DNA sequence: AACGGATGCGCAATAATCTTTCGTGAGTGC
DNA sequence: GCACTCACGAAAGATTATTGCGCATCCGTT
């Protein structure tokens, strides 16, 4: 995981693969303006460097039966590093918790959760989350509707920055 | 986008492609226990039905130069549908806003934002978000560190449910 | 300027995969 | 029992992935 110097082509590759992770290498090569072999080599390098963590199909969770999406703000009794790590480890083990971020401010963690239905989530909330040691407070908010959900990062912002620096 | 009846194999396909979206079709077919042609047909059907929305490379945003990640809780003056839609449309236009979810409770929206650095975010916050008409309050929380960030849904939970129903 | 070394490209060839076509068998309704 | 439907899998040709190699370019050195 060495720091890699990226050029214009690398950034284009990342942007294209973020937009369509299943694009063939020849198509990708065509789009970024080089031939297939060096393009594949660049992709491999980006993967090995950790800049590309992986590729994932974006599945429609609602149609799959996960009707409920919830954000949970969690406050802990103790913010000692041991306690923080312990809580994070718990989160990693709970399948319904998809994301766990430690925050500044009054709330210690924000969790993004999914569940097949409300009762499944309630069960998780009361049975797992609220019974976890050191959890002081949990405030949950149901997602009424999703307005935007773009994976990844805005490459156009990056390009602007680069051109300003250059 | 017709409702599709999924069998065991379809769910396995979704789970595999969620875990590795760039898996070759022959490898996928091997894993789910059928031959390549019907496997590819199933994948195409899943794509056309909208159950697979797309494929995305998971790029390391921090290494790419997006050092800052922020959750913003937004409250609006008016919650009339026109106003809600207007705000959502704004969010779709802001590249730094990656997710926008409408919530129940005291806060109307939660936004997940990224930015190259703090000052970029401050600029967005004071220049764009806070100057948007109808925005009553914004509470932001910096992400100190990420503990878990799994894309997609937990298929093991789904399997449990299926076996219980069957 | 000339010389190496490193880097990265593209061509060509081979291996692997994708994709279509087609024949077959299982299940279903009449 | 007889179509009919549906999905599977084998085969084959088209496309893609991957490797090896020669060449150009860029840099730092002499």
């Amino acid at each position: 995981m060495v720091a890699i110097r990226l050029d214009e082509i690398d950034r284009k590759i990342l942007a294209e693969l973020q937009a369509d992770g299943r694009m063939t290498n020849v198509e990708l090569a065509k789009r970024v303006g080089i031939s297939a072999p060096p393009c594949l080599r660049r992709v491999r390098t980006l993967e090995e460097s950790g800049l590309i963590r992986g590729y994932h199909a974006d599945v429609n969770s609602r149609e799959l039966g996960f009707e409920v999406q919830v954000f949970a703000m969690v406050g802990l009794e103790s913010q000692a590093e041991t306690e923080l790590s312990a809580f994070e480890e718990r989160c990693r083990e709970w399948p319904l918790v998809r994301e766990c971020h430690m925050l500044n401010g009054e709330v210690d963690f924000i969790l993004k959760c999914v569940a097949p239905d409300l009762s499944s989530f309630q069960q998780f909330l009361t049975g797992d989350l609220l019974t976890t040691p050191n959890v002081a407070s949990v405030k949950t908010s149901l997602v009424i509707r999703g307005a935007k959900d773009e994976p990844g990062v805005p490459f156009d912002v990056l390009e602007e920055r680069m051109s300003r620096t250059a």
Side-chain angles (χ1 to χ4, degrees), chain A residues 69-72 96-101 110-114 149:
Chain A
Q69 195 167 344
V70 185
F71 283 93
L96 293 187
V97 175
R98 306 315 292 166
E99 298 181 25
C100 170
H101 308 275
I110 188 168
L111 273 48
K112 189 204 269 187
C113 310
V114 297
D149 196 351

Side-chain angles (χ1 to χ4, degrees), chain A residues 62 67-71 112-113 141-147:
Chain A
R62 203 158 294 241
E67 312 267 348
V68 173
Q69 195 167 344
V70 185
F71 283 93
K112 189 204 269 187
C113 310
S141 282
L142 262 174
V143 172
I144 304 290
R145 71 186 191 202

Side-chain angles (χ1 to χ4, degrees), chain A residues 1-6 45-51:
Chain A
M1 185 120 139
V2 190
I4 301 276
R5 250 181 49 81
L6 299 177
T45 304
L46 291 170
E47 288 168 355
E48 281 157 23
S49 75
L51 249 152

Side-chain angles (χ1 to χ4, degrees), chain A residues 31-140:
Chain A
R31 293 199 186 195
V32 304
I34 58 178
S35 64
C39 185
L40 187 63
R41 281 191 288 264
R42 278 169 183 262
V43 171
R44 293 279 177 267
T45 304
L46 291 170
E47 288 168 355
E48 281 157 23
S49 75
L51 249 152
I52 295 180
R53 290 206 200 87
Y55 305 88
H56 307 285
D58 176 12
V59 308
N60 189 326
S61 54
R62 203 158 294 241
E63 276 200 47
L64 234 183
F66 290 88
E67 312 267 348
V68 173
Q69 195 167 344
V70 185
F71 283 93
M73 292 9 137
V74 179
L76 300 185
E77 304 273 5
S78 157
Q79 281 85 19
E81 177 55 36
T82 323
E83 305 293 347
L84 295 175
S85 303
F87 179 73
E88 291 176 340
E89 187 50 35
R90 288 290 185 103
C91 287
R92 282 189 212 101
E93 287 164 4
W94 286 321
L96 293 187
V97 175
R98 306 315 292 166
E99 298 181 25
C100 170
H101 308 275
M102 182 175 158
L103 300 180
N104 75 340
E106 36 191 306
V107 165
D108 293 312
F109 288 95
I110 188 168
L111 273 48
K112 189 204 269 187
C113 310
V114 297
D117 50 47
L118 257 182
S119 76
S120 302
F121 179 74
Q122 298 282 10
Q123 204 171 317
F124 159 72
L125 181 62
T126 57
D128 295 326
L129 187 51
L130 286 171
T131 60
T132 298
N134 198 38
V135 167
S137 70
V138 177
K139 252 192 1 185
T140 60

